[in-house]
Every structure is written in C-alpha cells, then in structure tokens.
C-alpha cells in the first residue's frame, strides 16, 4: 500500500528534508583533498543532531554511520573510514534525517581537488537523470515513467544504470512502497503503480561509467562496480502534487 501523506505529514517531511539538504551542502564543502570520510560523516552527524533531528541511517539494519560515503568505483553504501581523499576522487554522499517521525533522504556526488572531464560529465549526467525523472513525477503517470526517464538519459550518454538497487517511497519509514527503479523491465514483471498527489518518493539514479553490474564487498555494505569504473549518485525526496512536484530535500544553493 502506497501511503499518501497529509499536509501535516508533508510539513514534517519538508523539515526533515531541509535538514538533510543542508547536511549535504555542509558535506560538499568538506570534500577536500586530505579529509577522511569519517571526519565528513562526523560533521554530518553533528549538524543533524544540532537541528534536534536524528541520522536515519545510523543503526538501520546495524549500519554503523550517519551517512554513506562512496568513492570512485563504490556505487552506494560506502562506510565512512580513515581513508583520506586524494585529488580527483569522486565522492558520493548519501544522507538520511529523521525529524518528528518523518524522513528526508538525499545524496549527491562531489569531487575532491581537480575533477577530470570524465568525472564532471558523469556527475552532471547523473544529476540530469534526476531532473528528467522529476518532469515525469505527476499524477496520471506511472512509476515506470520515472524509471524510463532516468534510463534513457543515462544510456543516451553512454552510461548504464544500476539495476540491483532502486529508489523508493519514503515517509515515516526510510523505505516504503513503491520501489522506484532506474530502468524499465520488458516484459514487466512487477506492478507499475500510478502516481498520485501526496505520494513522497526518493528518486535516486545510480549511474555507472561502464557496465551496470555490481557486487557487495566483504564488509557486507559497500556496493562497487564489477568493472572497477566510476559511479555517481544523486537523490532527492520529492512530493507528487497536482501541480509541479516539490523537492522536499531542498535548501538554498543545493547541488
Ligand atoms: N539512502 C539509502 C537508500 O535509499 C539508505 C542507506 S542504507 C543505510 O537505500 F543503511 F545506510 F542506511
Ligand atoms: Co534512498
């Protein structure tokens, strides 16, 4: 069952979302050569706590940190660690915030030091995939319209979409129905729900420079590309409305 949120619930999600987006901006500024991913995670956690909110990832299925920080061939769910960033590292940061019982979930990819042209393009196309999908996020369309928009934009640019992980509904739980895949399955194997106002979704393209295939490392969290090529991630929590969709994980000067 897909929950449609009341305006009271949406107010709370907007607040959680704003805090998550602000934490993402703070993290962006800390992606610097020499910084450890642990120190970035710590700053994210402190910021969230300072807003009287909770890091939604911490303890989720025993996840040990407040953010996921995934470098280069790491797609998602990288665990913050003592590794120091070096120039050219592609750093995807995913943040979840719980405030007054509701969640905001967002991510973006940044580069430490000097970005390569390839890295800039991968990151920009991944971000564009989200905005192409957002155009389809309206009542009457289906989840697959979002999925198709991401896939077409990524593949048109020579990239592939990760198929083993998806976007998702989000609300009082971090993962609610429906799944929001970044690709369309033909023939369709699963239900393809119609979008309705009041639905809140995390749309999160995970885009690989090389093959779509991934595997999970021995730490049981870190998802890496099979071919070792780079990957980027961009995510916002959004609200479907009768008019334009609203980005709930929004703040000034967001990536
Ligand atoms: N943002 C991630 C998602 O949408 C959640 C990270 S999993 C966690 O699936 F364990 F780190 F919380
Ligand atoms: Co998510």
């Amino acid at each position: 069952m897909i929950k449609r949120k009341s305006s009271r619930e949406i107010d709370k999600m907007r607040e959680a979302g704003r805090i998550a987006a602000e934490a993402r901006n703070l993290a962006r500024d800390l992606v610097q050569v020499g910084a450890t991913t642990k120190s970035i995670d710590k700053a994210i956690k402190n910021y969230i706590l300072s807003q009287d909110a909770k890091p939604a990832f911490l303890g989720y299925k025993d996840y040990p940190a407040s953010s996921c920080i995934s470098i280069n061939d790491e797609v998602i769910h990288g665990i913050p660690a003592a590794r120091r960033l070096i120039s050219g590292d592609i750093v995807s940061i995913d943040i979840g915030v719980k405030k007054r019982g509701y969640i905001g979930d967002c991510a973006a990819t940044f580069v430490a030091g000097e970005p390569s042209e390839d890295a800039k393009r991968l990151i920009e196309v991944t971000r564009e995939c989200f905005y192409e999908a957002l155009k389809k996020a309206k009542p009457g369309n289906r989840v697959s319209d979002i999925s198709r928009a991401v896939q077409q934009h990524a593949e048109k640019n020579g990239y592939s979409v990760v198929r083993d992980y998806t976007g998702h509904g989000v609300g009082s739980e971090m993962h609610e129905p429906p799944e929001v895949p970044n690709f369309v399955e033909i023939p369709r194997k699963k239900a393809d729900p119609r979008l309705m106002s009041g639905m809140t979704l995390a749309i999160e393209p995970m885009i690989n420079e090389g093959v779509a295939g991934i595997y999970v490392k021995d730490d049981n969290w870190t998802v890496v590309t099979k071919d070792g090529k780079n990957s980027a991630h961009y995510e916002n929590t959004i609200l479907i409305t009768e008019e334009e969709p609203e980005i709930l994980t929004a703040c000034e000067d967001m990536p």
Side-chain angles (χ1 to χ4, degrees):
M1 203 263 291
I2 304 177
K3 289 188 208 149
R4 299 171 69 183
K5 275 72 176 181
S6 67
S7 66
R8 205 184 76 250
E9 292 178 294
I10 290 162
D11 279 343
K12 293 178 189 172
M13 291 192 67
R14 215 177 262 125
E15 201 180 348
R18 193 241 327 143
I19 297 165
E22 287 171 354
R24 174 174 58 184
N25 276 8
L26 174 110
R28 169 180 61 193
D29 298 340
L30 296 173
V31 171
Q32 302 278 355
V33 172
T36 66
T37 54
K38 228 187 166 77
S39 70
I40 297 171
D41 181 72
K42 196 171 178 180
I44 291 167
K45 181 182 186 179
N46 286 340
Y47 182 71
I48 294 169
L49 294 175
S50 80
Q51 299 298 301
D52 210 7
K54 285 197 184 117
F57 296 176
L58 187 62
Y60 177 82
K61 294 185 182 168
D62 291 329
Y63 185 72
S66 299
S67 60
C68 299
I69 306 186
S70 310
I71 302 173
N72 297 334
D73 64 326
E74 297 173 355
V75 179
I76 48 168
H77 299 172
I79 302 173
R83 179 193 190 294
R84 285 182 195 280
L85 299 178
I86 60 175
S87 186
D89 275 343
I90 295 173
V91 186
S92 299
I93 301 184
D94 192 346
I95 299 171
V97 168
K98 193 166 200 172
K99 173 85 178 176
R100 295 197 285 159
Y102 286 82
I103 288 176
D105 184 5
C106 66
T109 302
F110 311 109
V111 178
E114 270 311 302
S116 69
E117 288 306 312
D118 284 354
K120 278 195 237 174
R121 196 173 77 90
L122 175 65
I123 289 166
E124 185 52 26
V125 169
T126 301
R127 186 174 172 282
E128 287 167 2
C129 283
F130 168 82
Y131 281 97
E132 289 301 314
L134 188 65
K135 290 180 195 167
K136 307 293 179 187
K138 53 185 184 192
N141 278 352
R142 292 182 183 272
V143 169
S144 63
D145 292 301
I146 289 174
S147 309
R148 187 177 306 101
V150 172
Q151 181 175 21
Q152 284 184 348
H153 191 68
E155 293 181 353
K156 189 173 79 187
N157 283 281
Y159 298 139
S160 52
V161 299
V162 172
R163 291 164 179 259
D164 303 79
Y165 297 86
T166 68
H168 49 91
V170 54
S172 56
E173 301 295 328
M174 186 150 62
H175 295 135
E176 296 182 354
E179 280 188 9
V180 184
N182 293 311
F183 65 100
V184 178
E185 220 165 14
I186 307 168
R188 184 161 53 80
K189 293 198 189 118
K190 288 182 186 160
D192 183 12
R194 234 181 241 291
L195 302 174
M196 291 185 273
S197 60
M199 289 181 178
T200 47
L201 307 175
I203 300 178
E204 49 177 320
M206 292 156 261
I207 306 299
N208 292 354
E209 212 159 42
V211 299
I214 55 89
Y215 67 94
V216 180
K217 282 189 148 179
D218 287 341
D219 64 14
N220 284 324
W221 279 106
T222 314
V223 176
V224 293
T225 60
K226 265 197 175 140
D227 59 8
K229 293 192 178 171
N230 289 331
S231 187
H233 185 200
Y234 185 82
E235 172 182 26
N236 283 303
T237 299
I238 67 132
L239 167 70
I240 311 275
T241 81
E242 294 298 333
E243 278 109 48
E244 292 300 302
E246 178 181 341
I247 297 178
L248 296 173
T249 44
C251 67
E252 253 175 61
D253 185 37
M254 59 188 273

